[in-house]
Amino acid sequence: MTENPAASRVLVLNSGSSSLKYQLLDMRDASRLAAGLVERIGEQTSRLKHTCVATDATREHGGPIADHDAALKAVAEELGRDGLGLDSPELAAIGHRVVHGGMFFTEPTVVDDEVLTEIERLIPVAPLHNPANLTGIRTAQALRPDLPQVAVFDTAFHTTMPESAARYAIDPRIADRHRIRRYGFHGTSHAYVSRETARLLGKDPAEANVIVLHLGNGASASAVRGGRCVDTSMGLTPLEGLVMGTRSGDLDPAVIFHLARVGGMSMDEIDTLLNKRSGLFGLCGDNDMREIRRRIDEGDEGAALAFDIYIHRIRKYIGAYYAVLGQVDAVAFTAGVGENAAPVRQAAIAGLEGLGLAVDPELNAVRSGEARLISPASARVAVAVVPTDEELEIATQTYALVGKNN
């Protein structure tokens, strides 16, 4: 643990298979000091983009970055140029986004050998994410072995789901043996947005029921009762639930058997189809909502059908989670599409007036980086746009844990 009581900075790392996203925050006022992204790690065309918030200066570098160790060292060098180096005594901890924590991790956790072993054991249910997350943690440990490394898990927020929501209807002995259950993802976003939505309404989060729609290239919905998740759309993996950029979302499991037996496809081919060649991309060849809307405006029927399927699935989950919660205070849109695509919000809420939901077209058309209501003042249930801030949520949880342990 850090022994410097003045240490107030947290470096947040989100390590992907070929990328490293980072932010440095000062937790005295939750301000951002620096942020950046290293892309295409391991390629000749690697790229680092770094921004120092204080000076509003952005630096970009191209050229090969061999691995995550080299990437983090390059990040440390950029931070050092701004007087924000990893050797600073003001750095309290490094917080890491870890996608899958299973049922073992229900809250942010200081990393030790046991934690690393458990994250590694979860690789079979998060083969694309956990290995990269582990690499980021181990790289950071090597650079600052004296500093607390804190893992913040995407799945943790959803561990409050009751067994009736978390269990699949299969033999529990088989399910338990292979860790098959609904874990949910985007947990840091759902936690942050549900809490901020309650504040927007002037309510204590413990007194608010919120349906959160995290709509990005990956998309998920959650039902949050009094600050605790009671249901979410993603399951064992991030494939279940809403229609996404390239993922199918909900699917009859027999489709897989049919593709294998009748279509002659291998398991790997089916995996690629459902995760990378389905969703909006599979339906119309585009997974950028802006491009899809442009094509719709030009009369493209394929794009229009893809949009309708996408909206239909969102509306189904709004209705389902309304039933789960019984009483709803707000529906909150967040993430890239949810925050920026007014037509998506309008279409998703249209026709739900019987549930007390409505969107004011003028409020909905406003573009802003601030949390705001887009429903009429007379609406029984608020509709909100709440920009997500997963990095701030990770930093907040990390700093709270380090302070508590101290």
Side-chain angles (χ1 to χ4, degrees):
M1 295 294 101
T2 179
E3 296 181 358
N4 178 12
S8 61
R9 296 175 183 171
V10 173
L11 177 64
V12 175
L13 297 180
N14 183 349
S15 183
S17 57
S18 61
S19 66
L20 180 65
K21 185 179 179 183
Y22 64 93
Q23 285 195 17
L24 180 66
L25 298 97
D26 189 327
M27 299 314 297
R28 289 175 297 185
D29 56 4
S31 61
R32 281 168 180 74
L33 303 175
L37 173 66
V38 187
E39 297 179 288
R40 299 190 288 274
I41 295 172
E43 301 179 21
Q44 293 297 308
T45 56
S46 305
R47 175 173 168 270
L48 188 158
K49 182 177 181 180
H50 172 87
T51 299
C52 176
V53 177
T55 60
D56 197 28
T58 296
R59 298 187 292 270
E60 295 190 40
H61 307 283
I65 296 178
D67 51 29
H68 284 74
D69 180 64
L72 190 53
K73 287 177 180 175
V75 169
E77 183 176 336
E78 290 301 319
L79 290 169
R81 289 176 63 183
D82 297 323
L84 304 169
L86 294 190
D87 57 350
S88 169
E90 294 184 63
L91 189 60
I94 299 178
H96 300 265
R97 179 196 180 208
V98 179
V99 167
H100 214 311
M103 292 302 292
F104 191 83
F105 300 109
T106 61
E107 56 187 15
T109 305
V110 175
V111 174
D112 57 19
D113 289 343
E114 182 183 0
V115 171
L116 288 173
T117 298
E118 187 62 22
I119 294 173
E120 194 164 15
R121 287 181 61 203
L122 288 161
I123 286 176
V125 288
L128 298 179
H129 299 95
N130 274 31
N133 301 155
L134 276 169
T135 298
I137 294 171
R138 287 172 171 148
T139 301
Q141 283 181 319
L143 284 181
R144 281 299 305 268
D146 60 311
L147 203 64
Q149 310 284 332
V150 176
V152 179
F153 299 90
D154 271 12
T155 49
F157 183 64
H158 304 302
T159 57
T160 57
M161 284 192 295
E163 288 293 277
S164 57
R167 286 278 186 178
Y168 290 109
I170 64 174
D171 186 329
R173 293 167 298 180
I174 293 175
D176 290 345
R177 185 183 312 142
H178 299 290
R179 299 186 178 199
I180 299 172
R181 62 185 290 120
R182 303 185 63 252
Y183 294 102
F185 299 89
H186 296 145
T188 51
S189 178
H190 286 280
Y192 178 84
V193 171
S194 60
R195 190 172 63 247
E196 291 302 305
T197 302
R199 290 176 180 164
L200 185 64
L201 299 179
K203 290 178 172 284
D204 187 310
E207 298 174 350
N209 288 1
V210 182
I211 296 171
V212 178
L213 300 169
H214 177 108
L215 307 179
N217 192 51
S220 60
S222 67
V224 182
R225 177 184 292 124
R228 295 167 61 86
C229 178
V230 294
D231 206 349
T232 192
S233 58
M234 286 179 167
L236 173 71
T237 75
L239 182 59
E240 187 179 358
L242 301 176
V243 175
M244 303 177 222
T246 64
R247 299 179 197 139
S248 65
D250 290 339
L251 189 77
D252 179 350
V255 170
I256 297 170
F257 313 147
H258 184 80
L259 290 173
R261 294 168 180 162
V262 179
M265 296 177 68
S266 69
M267 285 296 107
D268 285 345
E269 289 173 329
I270 296 171
D271 189 321
T272 298
L273 171 69
L274 298 183
N275 277 293
K276 298 181 180 179
R277 292 171 43 210
S278 294
L280 291 169
F281 178 79
L283 288 167
C284 71
D286 269 311
N287 60 329
D288 187 320
M289 185 57 70
R290 293 164 296 188
E291 182 65 16
I292 291 170
R293 291 301 309 176
R294 183 194 65 77
R295 289 172 54 185
I296 292 172
D297 291 341
E298 294 177 353
D300 188 315
E301 294 183 1
L305 178 59
F307 183 81
D308 289 345
I309 293 170
Y310 179 86
I311 294 297
H312 179 75
R313 190 75 57 84
I314 293 172
R315 287 162 56 85
K316 281 178 65 174
Y317 269 92
I318 292 173
Y321 287 170
Y322 206 118
V324 167
L325 292 170
Q327 179 266 325
V328 177
D329 295 296
V331 174
F333 289 87
T334 194
V337 175
E339 294 170 26
N340 298 299
V344 168
R345 300 190 296 260
Q346 182 73 48
I349 299 299
L352 300 180
E353 291 82 5
L355 298 178
L357 290 159
V359 165
D360 181 306
E362 291 186 5
L363 294 175
N364 188 39
V366 173
R367 294 185 67 87
S368 171
E370 301 297 320
R372 60 201 185 277
L373 296 179
I374 59 170
S375 48
S378 60
R380 193 168 75 246
V381 178
V383 180
V385 180
V386 180
T388 191
D389 198 333
E390 294 176 89
E391 287 78 18
L392 176 57
E393 182 69 16
I394 292 170
T396 300
Q397 293 189 27
T398 296
Y399 193 62
L401 178 61
V402 170
K404 182 172 66 177
N405 285 347
N406 279 339

